[in-house]
Amino acid sequence: MNVVHPAKRFTGQDSYPTRLPDKERIIARQDPVIWSAWSEDAPISLEETRHYEEKGYLVRRDIFTAEEIRKLIDASANIRADASDIRSEDLVTEPGTNAVRTVFRLDDHSRIFARLARDARLADIARFLLGDEVYLHQSRLNYKPGFTGKEFYWHSDFETWHAEDGMPRMRAVSASVLLTDNSQLNGPLMLIPGSHRKFIACAGETPQDNHKSSLMRQEIGVPSTGLLEKMADEAGLDAATGLAGTVIFFECNTMHASNGNVTPFPRSNAFFVYNAVSNAVDAPFAASQPRPDFLANRGVAKALDIVTGSFA
């Protein structure tokens, strides 16, 4: 891996001020999109590298064997069928019901998903994109049941991670592993291609314990509808779809959302946020206190022990 930008801790003033008292602002990106130089031994092709650089996301298919995918699906179903051993703070249910919506700290609650997080087929791509060793900033299991699955509104993850977790730079990437088939109908991930190149500094101060309401419906740290309309008019919208086992990597500042699911077909995914070790979180940039540990790993940023081979 040819690292273009050496790994060193960020120091200095805030390059991405947000949660502004007056109105939202658009700030040019201050960081690279890809922190390594591509070479023949890179874990993704040159075409894929260029796609990620331009669009802010990458869809990879046929990474896992059928047996591996079945094991992941079964593990996911078992967690949802019996969440009695899961810490209450790690568990989010659908509004108005007891149906499981999200399980945080997934790598704590499942050996197979802990193994998946360290799999080279995911983590080596994260290392290449970020030009550094990586650790898990967050992991979770997302469910969007048929008929009643709720939407996730438009947002940039980095805006929240910067404002409320204290992530200094845009040096993180999310990997979403599809555990059900995702079509354009059952609430797949939607993205505004190219939106990662501009930071939307949002208006409105961060309320105390904002995470308690934002996990159900995010209202702080989101762009205005007018700005979203302008971005979509200029760049369009992409839907990241695929069969179970597909992996979607998307840059931490890419604007994304998903519709509610009123089809009979549930949508589920395992979600891992890889952050550069040199980009470990510190004090929040726009909140009075950091979010809890289940939302942002605030321990020592220890590089993942990456493993190869099948887990089936």
Side-chain angles (χ1 to χ4, degrees):
M1 181 175 64
N2 186 2
V3 178
V4 175
H5 302 270
K8 58 182 179 181
R9 286 288 290 142
F10 164 79
T11 57
Q13 69 179 39
D14 181 6
S15 295
Y16 301 106
T18 189
R19 310 291 170 94
L20 306 176
D22 47 2
K23 61 180 181 179
E24 64 191 0
R25 291 172 52 203
I26 300 176
I27 299 174
R29 185 187 181 102
Q30 306 295 308
D31 297 308
V33 175
I34 298 177
W35 295 70
S36 301
W38 186 85
S39 63
E40 292 290 344
D41 62 353
I44 59 176
S45 70
L46 179 58
E47 181 181 0
E48 289 174 318
T49 302
R50 288 171 174 167
H51 186 281
Y52 185 88
E53 175 90 34
E54 178 185 353
K55 304 290 188 180
Y57 72 94
L58 174 65
V59 180
R60 300 209 86 205
R61 311 179 197 278
D62 303 319
I63 291 179
F64 304 111
T65 66
E67 186 177 358
E68 287 176 314
I69 295 169
R70 173 48 53 192
K71 283 200 169 187
L72 295 174
I73 292 172
D74 290 346
S76 169
N78 291 337
I79 292 173
R80 192 171 192 226
D82 183 10
S84 58
D85 292 335
I86 296 176
R87 294 179 291 259
S88 59
E89 65 179 3
D90 292 353
L91 189 63
V92 179
T93 57
E94 289 286 348
T97 76
N98 291 322
V100 174
R101 176 183 174 110
T102 304
V103 176
F104 286 99
R105 286 192 279 214
L106 177 58
D107 52 313
D108 277 0
H109 298 297
S110 168
R111 291 180 63 183
I112 191 169
F113 283 114
R115 166 64 175 76
L116 177 62
R118 298 186 296 116
D119 195 287
R121 288 167 286 185
L122 302 183
D124 271 353
I125 293 176
R127 291 175 67 240
F128 167 72
L129 294 173
L130 305 179
D132 195 2
E133 297 300 323
V134 297
Y135 74 98
L136 281 184
H137 174 70
Q138 184 191 107
S139 68
R140 65 181 189 263
L141 194 60
N142 286 334
Y143 295 100
K144 189 177 285 189
F147 299 116
T148 60
K150 301 302 181 184
E151 74 281 356
F152 291 88
Y153 195 68
W154 290 103
H155 64 285
S156 151
D157 286 330
F158 177 74
E159 196 280 341
T160 294
W161 299 339
H162 185 69
E164 300 185 43
D165 297 339
M167 183 179 289
R169 313 298 300 198
M170 294 178 183
R171 202 170 185 177
V173 60
S174 297
S176 176
V177 182
L178 305 189
L179 302 175
T180 54
D181 294 350
N182 278 216
S183 73
Q184 294 201 15
L185 301 177
N186 65 341
L189 178 70
M190 298 186 299
L191 311 104
I192 300 180
S195 56
H196 59 302
R197 294 187 174 279
K198 296 178 181 177
F199 177 70
I200 309 303
C202 297
E205 294 184 359
T206 308
Q208 191 76 11
D209 293 330
N210 181 52
H211 69 278
K212 293 181 179 179
S213 59
S214 67
L215 292 177
M216 307 302 292
R217 179 178 177 83
Q218 188 167 356
E219 296 179 332
I220 300 297
V222 298
S224 66
T225 56
L227 183 53
L228 288 168
E229 288 175 355
K230 183 175 184 295
M231 294 170 70
D233 283 344
E234 292 175 350
L237 301 177
D238 288 353
T241 60
L243 300 177
T246 299
V247 182
I248 304 163
F249 294 89
F250 59 103
E251 211 277 334
C252 62
N253 191 47
T254 302
M255 198 66 63
H256 62 283
S258 64
N259 286 325
N261 182 17
V262 296
T263 75
F265 312 113
R267 193 212 75 169
S268 179
N269 68 304
F271 190 86
F272 303 103
V273 178
Y274 296 98
N275 190 27
V277 168
S278 57
N279 196 42
V281 298
D282 205 332
F285 286 87
S288 60
Q289 60 186 28
R291 296 193 301 171
D293 288 348
F294 72 91
L295 291 171
N297 185 353
R298 306 198 68 83
V300 176
K302 182 180 179 181
L304 285 178
D305 180 17
I306 299 172
V307 293
T308 58
S310 173
F311 52 80

